Amino acid sequence: MVSNMITKFSNMNTNEDLGKIDQEICDNLNVNDDVDELVDNVFSCITAACNTTFKISKRARHLIKKNTVPWWTEELMVLRKRTNALRRRFQRTTNNNTLRQERKAQYSEGRHEYERKLKDAKFKSWKTFCTLKDGANPWTTVYKIVSGKRRTSTKLTTIEKNDGTYTTDMKTTLMHMLTHFAPDRADSDNHYHKKVRKVCQDPTNTADDKPFTQEEIIANLKRFNPKKTPGEDGLTSDILIRAFQVFPLVFTRIYNACLQRGCFPKRWKCSIIIPIIKPGKETCNDASKYRPISLLNTGGKLLERMLIDRILFHMHSNNLFNNNQYGFTPQRGTVDADMVAKNFIEESLRLKQCIVIKGAFDAAWWPSILKQLKEFKCPANLYRLSVSYFSNRRAKVTINNYTIEKEVQKGSCCGPGYWNIMYNSLLNLKFSS
């Protein structure tokens, strides 16, 4: 059924036809079906429609035959061939020492001439490049090179491991990087951890939140930057906005199926990690020199955003957040937190007390977040969707022909909201003086 979307889309003529197709597809969608399969079918059709209608840029074969450098000329090609021929003649002359010395001199002279012409061509090309500029724009490529602001591509090198040894090939390098970006959790659950996990598995008895609306979906889609790099499916926010305008009922039915069934689709749980070298870390040997940029599918980020917005609305409308919560909180910011910390430090110093300041943790323990959601009486369908959201998340790095994939336990645009929920229990602790 869904696979016929592209054919019908290409044959439609009016807005009335669009509405009929949208209603027909929506009527045939059964929310009791496998949500993963449903999302795969619909979004695969959108990708196929884009591949059919968009002009995909491909490097033409004739471009490969072009000069890879601007200073290369036919004269240099002839000189290089002549130099290589003289070298071969010299190397093959072994029985006549006089002739060998003569051909050695000819090869040496030809090589020097080739190297001189090569150097002159490079210098002239660079001089021409530096003098060419647009009078209306002083920030040209020459300025970027001189000021060190030109972007360079990330080059993978061997990486030093924790035991002092180095990776030996591309596969082990990628695996070590991915392990560093998404470290495995130590399997050291104590009695408390096991108890928390058991509590999270028990069903909640709260009421369901209301379904997503068309206005809510399109409003959240427009919050995304269409110029942001998309995830693995290549669908940007502006593509999904156009698709939603054509099939609003289908989109709404799909996202409400995820909410109703408490299923965060698998295709939206896999992220593509792009390693970027940190400024000033170019000469480092360990994996910390790279900053991992995680690319997620826009369709999944939309569901994440609507999920966390609903949860935060529940938290704020019921005044469940501690008053000392400043991060990612409406009408509050870092300045407020800095002023509170400043007053606390000044008072502590006046009383001659010890002050210790330390950074935040690198990752949260997800069962703790689910436990907090249950204690805050989070709506049942939002809680079930959060449970699915935290399960079986994966990340992968693909470079050249190597692809390394592993399970991860952190990262997403939901992060700040869930962090506030987890830390709220810490802020509620009462410390004795």
Side-chain angles (χ1 to χ4, degrees), residues 141-336:
T141 305
V142 177
Y143 164 78
K144 293 180 180 179
I145 293 175
V146 174
S147 60
K149 295 183 178 180
R150 185 180 176 124
R151 292 185 178 181
T152 57
S153 58
T154 300
K155 296 181 180 179
L156 292 183
T157 59
T158 56
I159 295 178
E160 184 179 2
K161 297 186 287 187
N162 298 332
D163 57 2
T165 61
Y166 285 83
T167 57
T168 56
D169 52 33
M170 180 70 72
K171 185 176 181 179
T172 56
T173 299
L174 293 180
M175 191 63 204
H176 181 73
M177 290 173 56
L178 192 54
T179 303
H180 174 77
F181 297 150
D184 296 324
R185 186 187 64 84
D187 189 11
S188 57
D189 285 356
N190 56 28
H191 177 71
Y192 173 77
H193 293 140
K194 294 178 181 179
K195 182 179 179 181
V196 171
R197 290 184 185 277
K198 185 177 184 305
V199 170
C200 296
Q201 294 174 358
D202 296 335
T204 181
N205 56 3
T206 56
D208 286 344
D209 201 8
K210 62 181 181 180
F212 297 127
T213 63
Q214 294 185 20
E215 294 75 15
E216 184 178 5
I217 295 175
I218 191 62
N220 279 280
L221 264 177
K222 290 181 178 179
R223 291 169 59 187
F224 290 103
N225 184 354
K227 295 183 180 180
K228 290 286 187 179
T229 305
E232 189 174 17
D233 60 7
L235 299 178
T236 58
S237 60
D238 52 347
I239 294 176
L240 294 186
I241 289 175
R242 296 296 298 272
F244 176 86
Q245 292 171 344
V246 177
F247 303 107
L249 297 179
V250 173
F251 265 74
T252 307
R253 177 64 66 87
I254 289 173
Y255 281 95
N256 279 323
C258 296
L259 179 62
Q260 178 183 340
R261 298 293 300 277
C263 175
F264 201 96
K266 294 179 181 178
R267 70 179 287 132
W268 292 341
K269 292 182 181 181
C270 184
S271 61
I272 306 298
I273 293 182
I274 307 297
I276 305 295
I277 297 180
K278 299 177 183 177
K281 295 281 189 176
E282 292 82 3
T283 59
C284 293
N285 295 326
D286 55 19
S288 63
K289 68 186 291 185
Y290 297 102
R291 175 181 290 109
I293 305 299
S294 182
L295 303 181
L296 296 165
N297 289 338
T298 307
K301 291 196 288 187
L302 173 60
L303 182 57
E304 292 180 16
R305 180 164 287 179
M306 293 192 295
L307 168 63
I308 197 62
D309 283 352
R310 289 288 188 92
I311 293 177
L312 292 179
F313 176 79
H314 170 77
M315 298 289 294
H316 289 299
S317 61
N318 292 281
N319 296 319
L320 297 175
F321 276 127
N322 188 285
N323 191 49
N324 291 324
Q325 186 73 261
Y326 292 96
F328 307 99
T329 303
Q331 307 302 322
R332 290 192 169 192
T334 55
V335 175
D336 302 290

